[in-house]
Amino acid sequence: MSTPTEEPRSAPPTQVKWAAQVINTYRIFGHDDTRVIALDNVTVGFEAGKFTAIMGPSGSGKTTLMQVAAGLDRPDQGQVIIGDVEISNLSEKRLTLLRREQIGFVFQQFNLLPTLTARENITFPLDLSGSKPDPEWMQTVIETVGLSDRLGHRPSELSGGQQQRVAVARALVERPDIIFADEPTGNLDSQSSAEILGFMAQAVAELGQTVVMVTHDPGAATYADRVVFLADGRIVDDIVNPTREEILSHMGTPQG
Amino acid sequence: MLRLTLKNLRANLSRLFATAIAVATGTAFLAAGLMITQSLSASVEGDAAIQYAGVDVAVLAPADQGEHRLDSLDASAMEDVLSTEGVDAAAGEFVAETAIIDSDGAAIRSRSQGRAWIEDDALNPITIDEGSPPTAAGEIVVDTETAQDGALVVGDAVVINTPSGEMDAEIVGISSFGAAPSVDSGGNVFMSPDWAQEILTGGHPGWQQILISSDTPDAVIAGLEGSLQGSPEVLSSEDFLTRQSETTEEFLSILSPILTGFALLALFVSGFVIYNTFTVVVSQRSQELSLVRAIGGTPSQVRRSLLLEGSLLGLLASFAGLGLGMGIARLIEYVLERFDVRLPGVGISINPRVILLTLLAGTLITVVSVMLPAWRAGSSRPVEAMREAAVDDSGTSSLRMYIGGFFLVSGIVLLGLNAFAASEWYFLAPGALLLFLGVVVGGPLLARLYGKLAGLLLRPSMTGRIAADNMVRNPKRTATTANALVIGLFLVTLVTVAGTALKDWIEVEIADLSESDFIVVSESVIPQELVDEIARADGVDATAPIRSAAVSTASGEAVLISGSDIEALQRTAGFSASSGSLDQVISGEGAAGSEVGGFAGPGGRHDGQGSGPFDPDAGQTDPEASQTDPDEPQSTSTDDTLSLIDPEGDIIEVPIVAQFQLSLDTIFLSTVVNDDLFAQIAGDQPVAQVYVRSASGEIEHLGTTLDSLTSGFTGVQVIPGNFIGQVIGQAIDFLIAAINGLLGLSVLIALIGIINTMNLSIHERRRELGMVRALGMTSSQVRTMVRIEGILIGLLGTIVGVASGAIVGWSVVRGITDSAVSLAWGRMSLIFAAGLVISLLACLLPARHAVKVPMLEAMAAT
Ligand SMILES: Nc1ncnc2c1ncn2[C@@H]1O[C@H](COP(=O)(O)OP(=O)(O)OP(=O)(O)O)[C@@H](O)[C@H]1O
Ligand SMILES: [Mg+2]
């Protein structure tokens, strides 16, 4: 199957800068009986400086899409462009370095290294590449996430919400081109969720950070500038500046 | 529950594989040791039984106060035996080293024994495969193996080297001994009884033992007792056979505890590895185990399931060890053969006892090692199962610190007492034990402290920092892993430090006893031209050629007389009187006797086994010295006068006017006269030894000169003055190497332990590994991280092992020598390096393993 490169379907007509693009991408797991098409010819772009949410029913391929777009997983077919680099030809090492330099992650759980303090966890990706954090920026980030008095603590001494904030701070401190977050608030109460989400939205609005977030929670999605809906491995909807009602109505739409 | 056990075994196969290797290695060594000692004792007794099958009564030469059977039976004893009523046949036995020399002047087999041929068929255990028995002087029969080694056939003319020097002989037959080629493991050269009397006895006929066949042994024994001169022992065939196997049993009684000791050590170290593996297996499976308990499994069921798992594993691994042990035993056999030592009899065999013991030991050690983890598994609460692979601070309580610290300090204090204060050894064992306990108890704390330190040192590198942190994530596990290495390296260091220091000390002590710089010796004679050349050589300060001869006294005894220029001997060999004065010896009016009589030369009379480290020298120390003085093993006193028979048959009276001080140089001399007197007593004799003293600063140069001068003369050797010191030094070095080789086994098992722990830790931290990879840790950084962690563990084990080994070694040596001990820093750093290399090796596999952890799956795993 030859897949001609086309402009992402959901691209607005104006000139936009894509932080990451996934073009005509397939991701297939298993064989024969167990074959699952997790991504079925997906084309989507994530705009720089914007907060994009990915929603969809369980098993629809959200995590897979995020992992493919972030260069954690390779598609079976199709192109993935991070910044302006097409990653399918990159070696594992180059890809790792690219992830380290251009992408930040916030996972749902197991975000932090248990032996390191909060501060050390925050600077971990920078330490890996041997670079020093910009102290001013570091200070800004830490103050914004509100962790100043917790920096010397180990993850086991922090609450779930605090741990998640450390993870967000870690993603921000390296000033990546794009941050991917997979259900960052999945394990948190609404209070902590609101803090984290507000903080991420703030980073986008005030610092020009790009964020792509996978979520189940319609409330979380309202923080985003745009919501992409997945079902059965396909993009079924794409709304800009969504309201809670819009999201709920889209979620209610029967699939297919 | 059995089903669950089997399933678990299968599911954890790769993980348990390493444990199985540890058990198998330990049991293999036990099995090999058992097999070798068993077959040795069985076959030696069997061999003696075959060799002396036809013997009904045996007459043995009287033993001296020691166990050495220096003396031989007079030739006349044979006549007495033959005339005793009831004796059907009798044969004399005489064994002495005899080598067949090849065209290059080297011995075909270095340890072959010459034996008098036994003519009576009933008494003779040897069969002639080809040719005929030796009947006349100059005829010899060799065994099949020697014939094969030297490509010899019947009819070949050869040169043999005997206690009476080199002589020509013709091979008239090829022999074998039952299923084996020869009676003596080094090979045999048989000669007619008469010729053997002439050449093997060094000119003083006699027999070492007389073998008798008789239908009425009791009567013969009764008849012989009292009728024989001297006090020879008369033994029934039963007593005789018991006597024969005594030496072997003595040898075995030393060998088998040593082998068993190493086997037990290997098993002990395996225990650590097994314990560790199961601890981790249990903690890994804690969720599954608590599930089992949640659905109704009682704690004891959980425990039993684990114990069963351990016993099955132990049993299976012990079977593997048994097979491996066969291999090791064969390897040992092969290596010994390369050194010309043939294990007597049919060789390695396996029997039910060996099988049973091996399986039992292997299974037992496994079960014992699993007991604690199993108990813990049974009593673990479900909450614990929920905990992630977080930081485990267990094993670092202050109680542990106090107890461990107390053990450590008191151990060191006791070792110090052993070194300085006490002359007895009361403190050594408790001190070493306390030290060990301190290391075991305080291990987790030590590991934690060390990890903190390493973390500080490695701070600049994030990878190194995390590795150091990971290492002390579970201080108890780290300590147990390191301790497996500690035991091995502790013993290696102890043996090396103590051995090297003892060696140095002995060498210094011995060097004090030696004056001469070189002794030139010969298997037969040193030609006069060579003696002259040596005297003229560059860098020579003085030489003292020695001529020796066995001279008969008027009363029919033999005395070894040596002649030399006494003043030159004083100069070169530090020859001095301990009582009396040498003046009359110098002027030729008297002789100097030895302080303690002749040097009891190396044995090797009856079999090859008695040969000690002096053996290479056995041919040169003048075998006559030990064989020609049947009645003079004791010192001559200054009041004695020797009545010697000169070549013309006249009697010369020689007063003993002095006793000379025994030193390592003069150890080869028994009665010394000056050259003129010697010529009168013994006529014109060739030079047997030359003592050489070098001009100052010329010793090394002279050594090379002497080597090149003598290289053209077969059988002539240059022995450095500190030769015995060197031989002992070499023997100790060899021992150190051999023991360390065996100890290396336990180090190997520790290596497996490190691999195991690392693999398991990586498995536990898969999710973390996945995360750090996602965050941008490259595979080479992951590899480095794992390597650093492994090396840190290995380094901990190495440091503790080498340090404690050095402490105990120092205490031992200091206790023995009472002098300052120079530690073998060079060798210790080698051991240290070896420990590091081992840790590096141990990381190879886990590092690969870590890189292969699939990033996404690891993160998705819940
Ligand atoms: N490693 C894998 N092997 C096999 N199938 C997989 C694998 N990863 C994902 N899948 C399948 O691909 C499909 C999409 O999975 P994905 O994890 O992307 O879903 P999701 O939208 O993130 O779901 P959720 O909201 O439950 O997290 C699912 O049907 C899943 O079973
Ligand atoms: Mg998902």
Side-chain angles (χ1 to χ4, degrees):
Chain A
M1 193 184 349
S2 77
T3 36
T5 310
E6 50 177 78
E7 275 297 292
R9 187 162 60 133
S10 50
T14 47
Q15 189 71 54
V16 288
K17 187 174 178 300
W18 301 115
Q21 284 167 278
V22 172
I23 300 166
N24 299 122
T25 296
Y26 291 82
R27 183 73 178 95
I28 297 158
F29 294 108
H31 298 280
D32 306 326
D33 285 359
T34 60
R35 191 177 145 103
V36 175
I37 305 181
L39 295 182
D40 188 359
N41 195 12
V42 169
T43 299
V44 67
F46 302 113
E47 206 177 327
K50 290 280 154 76
F51 191 160
T52 310
I54 303 174
M55 294 193 74
S58 189
S60 55
K62 305 183 294 291
T63 299
T64 311
L65 173 60
M66 192 206 87
Q67 285 172 345
V68 166
L72 285 172
D73 198 4
R74 290 185 191 254
D76 294 300
Q77 206 168 14
Q79 279 181 304
V80 174
I81 301 169
I82 296 174
D84 42 18
V85 184
E86 217 282 298
I87 65 163
S88 56
N89 296 324
L90 291 187
S91 70
E92 199 50 50
K93 172 154 185 176
R94 290 287 309 282
L95 189 57
T96 306
L97 294 179
L98 182 141
R99 271 204 313 269
R100 188 153 92 192
E101 279 149 22
Q102 300 184 13
I103 299 175
F105 289 97
V106 182
F107 305 108
Q108 184 174 355
Q109 47 188 350
F110 310 121
N111 254 310
L112 307 176
L113 283 168
T115 55
L116 300 185
T117 62
R119 176 192 284 280
E120 287 164 341
N121 263 296
I122 291 172
T123 58
F124 175 74
L126 289 168
D127 285 333
L128 277 184
S129 48
S131 45
K132 286 262 166 299
D134 171 358
E136 250 175 68
W137 177 238
M138 175 91 179
Q139 197 53 40
T140 315
V141 168
I142 288 167
E143 272 167 23
T144 338
V145 244
L147 279 169
S148 314
D149 53 342
R150 292 284 180 171
L151 286 178
H153 291 230
R154 292 259 173 87
S156 55
E157 297 156 343
L158 296 173
S159 76
Q162 286 166 333
Q163 288 185 26
Q164 232 32 11
R165 278 193 259 169
V166 173
V168 173
R170 177 187 64 204
L172 280 171
V173 130
E174 47 180 335
R175 281 204 249 227
D177 295 343
I178 184 165
I179 292 174
F180 286 98
D182 192 353
E183 304 193 34
T185 57
N187 283 353
L188 303 182
D189 61 53
S190 52
Q191 171 70 30
S192 309
S193 296
E195 272 175 35
I196 297 283
L197 290 164
F199 176 55
M200 287 206 289
Q202 193 187 346
V204 173
E206 292 171 14
L207 313 169
Q209 182 66 57
T210 311
V211 175
V212 175
M213 174 181 73
V214 171
T215 185
H216 273 120
D217 176 10
T222 56
Y223 286 82
D225 299 318
R226 172 185 165 210
V227 182
V228 175
F229 287 93
L230 273 182
D232 284 339
R234 290 193 200 144
I235 297 194
V236 291
D237 238 322
D238 192 340
I239 48 174
V240 181
N241 294 328
T243 62
R244 195 178 167 84
E245 289 66 36
E246 272 178 302
I247 295 168
L248 284 172
S249 72
H250 276 91
M251 282 172 77
T253 353
Q255 295 165 14
Chain B
M1 227 47 195
L2 179 66
R3 262 234 327 256
L4 185 68
T5 302
L6 287 175
K7 267 197 134 143
N8 280 338
L9 264 183
R10 215 171 321 135
N12 294 294
L13 210 58
S14 65
R15 206 170 307 159
L16 295 173
F17 185 65
T19 318
I21 291 179
V23 181
T25 320
T27 47
F29 213 71
L30 181 70
L34 285 174
M35 282 181 221
I36 289 180
T37 37
Q38 288 237 326
S39 73
L40 263 183
S41 63
S43 63
V44 164
E45 275 156 30
D47 268 11
I50 298 171
Q51 187 183 349
Y52 298 116
V55 177
D56 299 309
V57 178
V59 180
L60 276 60
D64 67 0
Q65 303 91 316
E67 281 299 283
H68 303 285
R69 219 158 262 285
L70 296 173
D71 301 343
S72 64
L73 294 160
D74 251 16
S76 65
M78 182 61 93
E79 286 157 32
D80 294 341
V81 167
L82 284 173
S83 61
T84 305
E85 199 155 323
V87 170
D88 292 340
E93 206 175 43
F94 203 102
V95 189
E97 257 182 63
T98 300
I100 298 181
I101 307 296
D102 68 13
S103 49
D104 300 332
I108 290 176
R109 296 180 73 184
S110 57
R111 289 160 185 269
S112 57
Q113 303 289 330
R115 277 177 176 270
W117 182 253
I118 296 173
E119 287 170 332
D120 183 73
D121 283 341
L123 292 171
N124 185 14
I126 306 292
T127 33
I128 296 280
D129 295 343
E130 245 179 89
S132 55
T135 48
E139 291 181 353
I140 58 167
V141 165
V142 298
D143 66 279
T144 49
E145 198 174 345
T146 306
Q148 210 170 18
D149 283 1
L152 303 172
V153 293
V154 171
D156 276 0
V158 294
V159 176
I160 56 176
N161 190 337
T162 69
S164 307
E166 288 189 6
M167 46 199 67
D168 295 321
E170 186 199 344
I171 296 178
V172 296
I174 312 277
S175 70
S176 62
F177 169 58
S182 54
V183 174
D184 300 297
S185 60
N188 280 134
V189 176
F190 295 100
M191 46 207 85
S192 72
D194 289 345
W195 200 40
Q197 285 288 291
E198 200 181 318
I199 63 172
L200 292 186
T201 59
H204 292 85
W207 298 108
Q208 290 159 342
Q209 50 199 22
I210 295 175
L211 312 175
I212 299 167
S213 88
S214 162
D215 293 333
T216 53
D218 292 343
V220 172
I221 292 171
L224 284 174
E225 264 162 8
S227 79
L228 290 173
Q229 278 184 0
S231 48
E233 279 184 274
V234 181
L235 298 176
S236 69
S237 67
E238 219 169 280
D239 294 344
F240 180 58
L241 283 182
T242 315
R243 185 69 63 87
Q244 291 303 315
S245 52
E246 262 168 17
T247 5
T248 326
E249 254 148 33
E250 226 166 82
F251 172 65
L252 283 177
S253 71
I254 298 168
L255 184 71
S256 73
I258 291 177
L259 285 177
T260 318
F262 282 117
L264 289 181
L265 177 73
L267 278 176
F268 183 61
V269 176
S270 308
F272 273 76
V273 175
I274 300 163
Y275 164 79
N276 227 4
T277 310
F278 269 88
T279 307
V280 184
V281 164
V282 164
S283 76
Q284 243 176 54
R285 270 207 244 133
S286 54
Q287 278 175 342
E288 176 200 313
L289 288 171
S290 57
L291 186 69
V292 169
R293 286 199 48 202
I295 58 175
T298 63
S300 70
Q301 267 177 317
V302 170
R303 284 173 199 147
R304 244 182 291 142
S305 154
L306 270 170
L307 277 180
L308 194 61
E309 197 173 321
S311 350
L312 278 178
L313 180 81
L315 193 66
L316 281 177
S318 305
F319 264 112
L322 201 60
L324 202 64
M326 283 283 271
I328 294 179
R330 292 240 183 281
L331 190 74
I332 292 177
E333 194 182 29
Y334 173 77
V335 170
L336 285 180
E337 254 165 35
R338 304 244 72 184
F339 286 100
D340 219 9
V341 180
R342 187 171 55 82
L343 289 181
V346 282
I348 306 302
S349 66
I350 192 162
N351 66 19
R353 199 178 90 101
V354 174
I355 297 177
L356 210 74
L357 271 176
T358 308
L359 294 185
L360 208 69
T363 313
L364 211 69
I365 191 85
T366 316
V367 170
V368 167
S369 312
V370 173
M371 241 132 133
L372 202 60
W375 185 81
R376 249 190 245 142
S379 43
S380 75
R381 274 161 293 144
V383 201
E384 284 173 51
M386 299 297 152
R387 250 180 29 195
E388 253 311 298
V391 185
D392 176 7
D393 278 341
S394 71
T396 52
S397 69
S398 53
L399 180 68
R400 185 182 278 275
M401 182 170 84
Y402 292 131
I403 298 179
F406 171 75
F407 281 158
L408 261 180
V409 170
S410 48
I412 291 176
V413 166
L414 285 191
L415 289 171
L417 277 179
N418 175 66
F420 291 113
S423 53
E424 301 296 330
W425 293 94
Y426 301 133
F427 296 122
L428 182 62
L433 192 73
L434 279 173
L435 187 72
F436 178 74
L437 278 178
V439 167
V440 170
V441 174
L445 260 158
L446 215 63
R448 208 168 139 74
L449 221 75
Y450 165 85
K452 284 251 162 73
L453 195 73
L456 278 181
L457 289 176
L458 291 169
R459 189 155 211 121
S461 138
M462 183 40 83
T463 356
R465 165 69 205 287
I466 296 181
D469 282 347
N470 283 343
M471 194 205 109
V472 284
R473 284 274 270 280
N474 190 333
K476 254 188 187 164
R477 188 197 301 171
T478 306
T480 322
T481 310
N483 279 349
L485 193 60
V486 167
I487 298 170
L489 289 181
F490 162 74
L491 291 172
V492 170
T493 311
L494 171 60
V495 168
T496 307
V497 166
T500 312
L502 280 185
K503 186 189 94 168
D504 291 348
W505 180 69
I506 289 175
E507 274 176 354
V508 169
E509 295 278 302
I510 286 179
D512 286 350
L513 297 174
S514 177
E515 279 279 320
S516 68
D517 293 327
F518 300 97
I519 309 173
V520 182
V521 297
S522 166
E523 288 176 24
S524 44
V525 301
I526 303 176
Q528 190 57 45
E529 49 173 308
L530 181 57
V531 175
D532 295 342
E533 270 185 69
I534 292 171
R536 284 195 305 266
D538 251 3
V540 166
D541 177 46
T543 64
I546 306 279
R547 298 161 205 272
S548 290
V551 181
S552 290
T553 61
S555 57
E557 293 156 358
V559 184
L560 183 74
I561 305 284
S562 300
S564 182
D565 176 340
I566 305 297
E567 277 163 324
L569 197 59
Q570 283 176 310
R571 213 176 145 72
T572 55
F575 190 75
S576 62
S578 60
S579 67
S581 151
L582 288 179
D583 291 344
Q584 277 177 292
V585 185
I586 294 171
S587 63
E589 293 161 59
S594 149
E595 246 177 338
V596 291
F599 168 53
R605 268 224 174 163
H606 188 69
D607 55 39
Q609 280 165 358
S611 317
F614 302 98
D615 197 55
D617 194 35
Q620 300 116 35
T621 50
D622 192 358
E624 290 167 61
S626 63
Q627 293 180 4
T628 47
D629 310 351
D631 296 311
E632 203 196 23
Q634 297 306 306
S635 64
T636 40
S637 78
T638 38
D639 300 331
D640 284 354
T641 295
L642 291 171
S643 308
L644 300 171
I645 302 174
D646 76 2
E648 274 83 52
D650 300 333
I651 288 180
I652 303 180
E653 300 279 336
V654 181
I656 306 278
V657 295
Q659 282 185 315
F660 62 84
Q661 188 122 40
L662 196 68
S663 76
L664 283 175
D665 301 313
T666 57
I667 207 161
F668 306 140
L669 307 172
S670 76
T671 304
V672 181
V673 297
N674 85 352
D675 275 330
D676 293 338
L677 183 55
F678 181 79
Q680 284 179 42
I681 298 167
D684 190 18
Q685 295 284 344
V687 173
Q689 290 139 25
V690 183
Y691 289 92
V692 182
R693 186 190 166 91
S694 63
S696 69
E698 292 283 340
I699 186 158
E700 273 176 34
H701 173 66
L702 182 57
T704 15
T705 311
L706 288 179
D707 279 338
S708 69
L709 278 180
T710 53
S711 65
F713 297 88
T714 313
V716 177
Q717 276 190 5
V718 180
I719 301 175
N722 55 354
F723 173 72
I724 291 184
Q726 279 184 4
V727 168
I728 292 178
Q730 277 164 10
I732 294 179
D733 272 342
F734 175 78
L735 268 179
I736 295 175
I739 294 175
N740 281 347
L742 296 174
L743 291 174
L745 192 80
S746 65
V747 177
L748 206 74
I749 295 174
L751 170 91
I752 297 171
I754 298 181
I755 296 179
N756 230 2
T757 307
M758 293 292 299
N759 268 339
L760 294 163
S761 302
I762 286 163
H763 186 87
E764 276 182 347
R765 293 185 214 135
R766 300 178 68 201
R767 206 175 270 154
E768 247 171 82
L769 277 170
M771 192 213 1
V772 296
R773 296 282 306 281
L775 288 178
M777 191 179 249
T778 60
S779 12
S780 68
Q781 279 177 315
V782 170
R783 230 174 277 139
T784 311
M785 182 175 77
V786 173
R787 278 196 204 126
I788 294 179
E789 184 180 347
I791 291 171
L792 283 177
I793 297 179
L795 193 65
L796 174 66
T798 309
I799 291 174
V800 176
V802 171
S804 46
I807 292 173
V808 178
W810 166 81
S811 172
V812 168
V813 177
R814 182 75 221 227
I816 293 176
T817 61
D818 270 341
S819 59
V821 178
S822 61
L823 289 175
W825 290 112
R827 288 180 187 204
M828 256 156 66
S829 45
L830 271 183
I831 298 172
F832 202 84
L836 281 189
V837 169
I838 280 167
S839 329
L840 256 175
L841 283 178
C843 299
L844 289 181
L845 240 76
R848 279 183 50 171
H849 187 149
V851 169
K852 285 211 181 115
V853 168
M855 177 169 64
L856 294 176
E857 274 172 45
M859 281 163 65
T862 38

